[in-house]
Coordinates of all heavy atoms in Angstrom, one line a residue:
G1 N 75.1 -52.6 -46.5 CA 76.2 -53.5 -46.8 C 76.9 -53.1 -48.1 O 78.1 -53.1 -48.2
A2 N 76.1 -52.7 -49.1 CA 76.7 -52.3 -50.4 C 77.4 -50.9 -50.3 O 78.6 -50.8 -50.8 CB 75.6 -52.2 -51.4
L3 N 76.8 -50.0 -49.6 CA 77.4 -48.6 -49.5 C 78.7 -48.6 -48.7 O 79.7 -48.2 -49.1 CB 76.4 -47.7 -48.9 CG 76.9 -46.2 -48.7 CD1 77.3 -45.6 -50.1 CD2 75.8 -45.4 -48.1
I4 N 78.6 -49.2 -47.5 CA 79.8 -49.2 -46.6 C 80.8 -50.1 -47.0 O 82.0 -49.9 -46.9 CB 79.3 -49.4 -45.1 CG1 78.2 -48.5 -44.7 CG2 80.5 -49.3 -44.2 CD1 78.6 -47.0 -44.8
G5 N 80.4 -51.2 -47.7 CA 81.3 -52.2 -48.3 C 82.2 -51.5 -49.3 O 83.4 -51.8 -49.4
H6 N 81.5 -50.7 -50.1 CA 82.3 -49.9 -51.2 C 83.3 -49.0 -50.5 O 84.4 -48.9 -51.0 CB 81.3 -49.1 -52.0 CG 81.9 -48.3 -53.1 ND1 82.6 -48.8 -54.1 CD2 82.0 -46.9 -53.2 CE1 83.1 -47.8 -54.9 NE2 82.8 -46.6 -54.3
L7 N 82.9 -48.3 -49.4 CA 83.8 -47.4 -48.7 C 84.9 -48.2 -48.1 O 86.1 -47.8 -48.1 CB 83.0 -46.7 -47.6 CG 82.0 -45.7 -48.1 CD1 81.3 -45.0 -46.9 CD2 82.6 -44.6 -49.0
G8 N 84.6 -49.4 -47.6 CA 85.7 -50.3 -47.1 C 86.7 -50.7 -48.2 O 87.9 -50.8 -47.9
D9 N 86.2 -51.0 -49.4 CA 87.1 -51.3 -50.5 C 88.0 -50.2 -50.8 O 89.2 -50.4 -51.2 CB 86.3 -51.7 -51.7 CG 85.5 -53.0 -51.5 OD1 85.9 -53.8 -50.6 OD2 84.5 -53.3 -52.2
R10 N 87.6 -49.0 -50.7 CA 88.3 -47.8 -51.2 C 89.2 -47.3 -50.1 O 90.3 -46.8 -50.4 CB 87.4 -46.7 -51.7 CG 86.7 -47.1 -53.0 CD 85.8 -46.0 -53.5 NE 86.6 -44.8 -53.7 CZ 87.1 -44.4 -54.9 NH1 87.1 -45.3 -55.9 NH2 87.8 -43.3 -55.0
H11 N 88.7 -47.3 -48.9 CA 89.4 -46.6 -47.8 C 89.9 -47.5 -46.6 O 90.5 -47.0 -45.7 CB 88.5 -45.5 -47.2 CG 88.1 -44.5 -48.2 ND1 88.9 -43.6 -48.8 CD2 86.9 -44.3 -48.8 CE1 88.3 -42.8 -49.7 NE2 87.0 -43.2 -49.7
G12 N 89.6 -48.8 -46.7 CA 90.1 -49.7 -45.7 C 88.9 -50.2 -44.8 O 87.9 -49.5 -44.6
R13 N 89.1 -51.4 -44.2 CA 88.0 -52.0 -43.4 C 87.9 -51.3 -42.1 O 86.8 -51.2 -41.6 CB 88.3 -53.4 -43.2 CG 88.4 -54.3 -44.5 CD 87.2 -54.2 -45.3 NE 87.4 -54.8 -46.6 CZ 86.5 -54.7 -47.6 NH1 85.5 -53.9 -47.5 NH2 86.8 -55.2 -48.8
R14 N 89.0 -50.8 -41.5 CA 88.9 -50.2 -40.2 C 88.0 -49.0 -40.2 O 87.1 -48.8 -39.3 CB 90.3 -49.9 -39.6 CG 90.3 -49.3 -38.2 CD 91.7 -49.1 -37.8 NE 91.7 -48.4 -36.5 CZ 92.8 -48.1 -35.9 NH1 94.0 -48.4 -36.4 NH2 92.8 -47.4 -34.7
P15 N 88.2 -48.0 -41.0 CA 87.3 -46.8 -41.1 C 85.9 -47.2 -41.3 O 84.9 -46.6 -40.8 CB 87.9 -45.9 -42.2 CG 89.3 -46.4 -42.3 CD 89.3 -47.8 -42.0
A16 N 85.7 -48.2 -42.2 CA 84.3 -48.6 -42.5 C 83.6 -49.3 -41.3 O 82.5 -49.0 -41.0 CB 84.3 -49.6 -43.7
M17 N 84.4 -50.1 -40.6 CA 83.8 -50.7 -39.4 C 83.5 -49.7 -38.3 O 82.5 -49.8 -37.6 CB 84.7 -51.8 -38.9 CG 85.0 -53.0 -39.8 SD 83.5 -53.9 -40.2 CE 83.3 -54.8 -38.7
L18 N 84.4 -48.7 -38.2 CA 84.2 -47.6 -37.2 C 82.9 -46.9 -37.5 O 82.1 -46.5 -36.7 CB 85.4 -46.7 -37.1 CG 85.3 -45.5 -36.2 CD1 85.0 -45.9 -34.8 CD2 86.5 -44.7 -36.3
L19 N 82.7 -46.6 -38.8 CA 81.5 -45.9 -39.3 C 80.2 -46.7 -38.9 O 79.2 -46.1 -38.5 CB 81.6 -45.7 -40.8 CG 80.4 -44.9 -41.4 CD1 80.2 -43.6 -40.7 CD2 80.6 -44.8 -42.9
T20 N 80.3 -48.0 -39.1 CA 79.1 -48.9 -38.8 C 78.8 -48.8 -37.3 O 77.6 -48.7 -36.9 CB 79.3 -50.3 -39.1 OG1 80.3 -50.9 -38.3 CG2 79.7 -50.5 -40.6
I21 N 79.8 -48.7 -36.4 CA 79.6 -48.6 -35.0 C 78.9 -47.3 -34.7 O 77.9 -47.2 -33.9 CB 80.9 -48.8 -34.2 CG1 81.4 -50.2 -34.3 CG2 80.7 -48.4 -32.7 CD1 82.8 -50.4 -33.8
L22 N 79.4 -46.2 -35.3 CA 78.8 -44.9 -35.0 C 77.4 -44.8 -35.6 O 76.5 -44.2 -34.9 CB 79.7 -43.8 -35.7 CG 81.1 -43.6 -35.1 CD1 81.9 -42.6 -36.0 CD2 81.0 -43.2 -33.7
M23 N 77.2 -45.4 -36.7 CA 75.8 -45.4 -37.3 C 74.8 -46.1 -36.3 O 73.7 -45.6 -36.0 CB 75.8 -46.1 -38.7 CG 76.5 -45.3 -39.8 SD 76.7 -46.2 -41.3 CE 75.0 -46.6 -41.7
M24 N 75.2 -47.3 -35.9 CA 74.3 -48.0 -35.0 C 74.1 -47.4 -33.7 O 73.0 -47.3 -33.1 CB 74.8 -49.5 -34.9 CG 73.9 -50.4 -34.0 SD 72.3 -50.7 -34.7 CE 72.7 -51.8 -36.0
G25 N 75.2 -46.8 -33.1 CA 75.1 -46.2 -31.8 C 74.3 -44.9 -31.9 O 73.4 -44.7 -31.0
V26 N 74.5 -44.1 -32.9 CA 73.7 -42.9 -33.0 C 72.2 -43.2 -33.2 O 71.3 -42.6 -32.6 CB 74.2 -42.0 -34.2 CG1 73.3 -40.9 -34.5 CG2 75.6 -41.4 -33.8
A27 N 71.9 -44.2 -34.1 CA 70.5 -44.5 -34.4 C 69.8 -45.1 -33.1 O 68.7 -44.7 -32.8 CB 70.5 -45.6 -35.5
T28 N 70.5 -46.0 -32.4 CA 69.9 -46.6 -31.3 C 69.6 -45.7 -30.1 O 68.5 -45.6 -29.5 CB 70.7 -47.8 -30.8 OG1 70.9 -48.7 -31.8 CG2 70.0 -48.5 -29.6
V29 N 70.6 -44.9 -29.8 CA 70.5 -43.9 -28.8 C 69.4 -42.8 -29.2 O 68.6 -42.4 -28.4 CB 71.8 -43.2 -28.4 CG1 71.6 -42.0 -27.5 CG2 72.8 -44.2 -27.9
G30 N 69.5 -42.4 -30.5 CA 68.5 -41.5 -31.0 C 67.1 -42.0 -30.8 O 66.2 -41.2 -30.4
I31 N 66.8 -43.2 -31.1 CA 65.5 -43.8 -31.0 C 65.1 -43.8 -29.5 O 63.9 -43.5 -29.2 CB 65.5 -45.3 -31.5 CG1 65.6 -45.3 -33.0 CG2 64.2 -46.0 -31.1 CD1 65.8 -46.6 -33.7

């Protein structure tokens, strides 16, 4: 929350939200 929230503050919420989707998808499929 702190790390991606900081990225969202600097680069916009849309790229940050897209990154969270990719993180969760990669992690879940990887598991």
Side-chain angles (χ1 to χ4, degrees):
L3 177 61
I4 307 302
H6 175 68
L7 293 178
D9 290 339
R10 292 180 60 88
H11 302 290
R13 301 299 170 198
R14 180 178 174 182
M17 297 298 284
L18 178 58
L19 179 59
T20 66
I21 293 172
L22 292 175
M23 289 170 62
M24 182 64 76
V26 168
T28 303
V29 174
I31 290 170

